[in-house]
């Protein structure tokens, strides 16, 4: 407590404070009490521990019996865990007071403390030897990483490998899709080129020069071209006909 706690003041006992089982931090091993009496008072001091396996026997820097000092003074009570088990310990310090008028008073100071098992008592955990570090040493005197560090590095490595594999699979799928699109484009281009080449062949066949015997039919079918054909016929005579005849 960050304050002073009075159990007895001006010959009046604070029973509420005595009934409170005050917790003691695990790292705290000593309790300090200030006491004095204006008149002669004898005392007897004793300790009671409910679970002695978790806490060593408490002791004090004063004797178990004597006289209460006449001036304010401080005495110490040590409560140290045995570090053998993990358990909450309940301790009672009993102080019996007897005045010169045979006035008998019993004060019970209750405390509770959480004790834990010593870590290096486990055989799986290395114990320091010759004041050296307890960490397992690797090559060149470098401490090897702990289990948690190894798990972290393994997890990071697995994540990197998974990301790398996913990237490779996506690249392969992308290349496959690109090749398929190119093949479809090449097939469509070849089909369109064949379709365009056929009309040109037919056109050249239709525009091929015809024989003289068919000239008349062409002339009859195309009136607009008749003057040109007639002019050509008048310019060239038939070798089998008389000189004065023309076709």
């Amino acid at each position: 407590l960050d304050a002073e706690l009075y159990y007895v003041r001006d010959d009046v006992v604070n029973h509420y404070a005595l009934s409170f089982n005050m917790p003691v931090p695990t790292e705290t091993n000593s309790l300090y009490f200030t006491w004095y009496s204006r008149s002669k008072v004898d005392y007897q001091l004793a300790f009671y521990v409910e679970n002695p396996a978790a806490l060593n026997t408490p002791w004090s820097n004063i004797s178990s019996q004597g006289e209460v000092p006449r001036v304010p003074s401080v005495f110490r009570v040590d409560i140290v865990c045995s570090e053998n088990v993990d358990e909450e310990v309940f301790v009672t310090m009993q102080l019996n007071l007897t005045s010169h008028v045979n006035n008998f008073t019993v004060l019970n100071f209750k405390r509770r403390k959480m004790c834990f098992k010593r870590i290096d008592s486990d055989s799986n955990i290395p114990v320091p030897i010759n004041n050296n570090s307890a960490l397992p040493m690797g090559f060149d005197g470098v401490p090897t990483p702990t289990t948690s560090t190894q798990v972290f590095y393994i997890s990071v490595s697995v994540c990197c490998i998974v990301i790398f594999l996913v990237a490779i699979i996506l690249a392969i799928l992308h290349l496959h899709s690109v090749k398929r699109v190119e093949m479809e484009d090449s097939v469509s281009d070849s089909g369109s080129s064949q379709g365009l080449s056929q009309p040109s062949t037919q056109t050249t066949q239709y525009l091929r020069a015809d024989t003289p015997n068919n000239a008349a039919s062409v002339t009859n079918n195309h009136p607009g071209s008749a003057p040109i054909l007639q002019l050509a016929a008048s310019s060239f005579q038939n070798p089998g006909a008389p000189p004065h005849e023309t076709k």
Side-chain angles (χ1 to χ4, degrees):
L1 296 178
D2 190 16
E4 290 183 347
L5 179 61
Y6 289 94
Y7 290 98
V8 180
R9 172 182 282 179
D10 296 332
D11 298 334
V12 177
V13 178
N14 187 353
H15 294 282
Y16 178 79
L18 289 173
S19 63
F20 178 64
N21 196 338
M22 185 181 298
V24 177
T26 303
E27 62 275 7
T28 301
N29 295 322
S30 299
L31 305 177
Y32 297 90
F33 295 87
T34 302
W35 65 336
Y36 77 100
S37 176
R38 297 186 180 91
S39 60
K40 178 178 173 55
V41 176
D42 297 329
Y43 75 90
Q44 290 182 348
L45 182 64
F47 298 96
Y48 300 94
V49 181
E50 294 185 7
N51 33 13
L55 186 74
N56 297 326
T57 303
W59 66 90
S60 177
N61 62 343
I62 60 174
S63 60
S64 59
Q65 61 182 0
E67 183 180 349
V68 178
R70 299 297 180 90
V71 294
S73 58
V74 178
F75 69 93
R76 186 186 76 249
V77 176
D78 296 332
I79 51 174
V80 181
C81 295
S82 63
E83 298 181 349
N84 293 328
V85 294
D86 295 338
E87 192 173 354
E88 188 177 18
V89 182
F90 295 91
V91 182
T92 300
M93 183 183 73
Q94 187 178 82
L95 185 64
N96 298 327
L97 303 175
T98 305
S99 65
H100 62 283
V101 292
N102 295 326
N103 186 5
F104 185 76
T105 304
V106 178
L107 303 177
N108 291 320
F109 306 95
K110 300 177 182 180
R111 298 290 185 272
R112 56 189 176 94
K113 181 179 181 180
M114 190 66 197
C115 293
F116 298 97
K117 189 176 182 179
R118 187 169 56 249
I119 298 177
D120 57 5
S121 62
D122 193 351
S123 59
N124 295 328
I125 299 177
V127 180
I129 300 176
N130 296 329
N131 295 327
N132 292 330
S133 176
L135 293 175
M137 303 301 291
F139 295 101
D140 299 331
V142 179
T144 57
T146 59
T147 303
S148 59
T149 307
Q150 292 176 353
V151 171
F152 173 75
Y153 286 129
I154 291 173
S155 302
V156 173
S157 302
V158 171
C159 292
C160 294
I161 292 173
V162 170
I163 294 173
F164 181 72
L165 292 177
V166 170
I168 291 177
I169 293 173
L170 292 177
I172 293 174
L173 293 176
H174 178 70
L175 293 176
H176 182 70
S177 62
V178 170
K179 289 183 179 180
R180 185 174 61 184
V181 172
E182 291 179 353
M183 292 177 63
E184 292 177 356
D185 292 341
S186 62
V187 171
S188 61
D189 292 340
S190 61
S192 60
S193 62
Q194 290 178 2
L196 292 174
S197 61
Q198 291 177 0
S200 61
T201 305
Q202 295 175 0
T203 304
T204 54
Q205 291 177 357
Y206 287 127
L207 296 179
R208 185 177 55 189
D210 204 347
T211 58
N213 295 327
N214 296 329
S217 62
V218 174
T219 303
N220 296 329
N221 292 332
H222 300 280
S225 61
I228 300 175
L229 295 176
Q230 291 176 1
L231 179 61
S234 63
S235 300
F236 299 95
Q237 297 180 355
N238 190 357
H244 61 278
E245 293 180 1
T246 59
K247 258 188 181 181

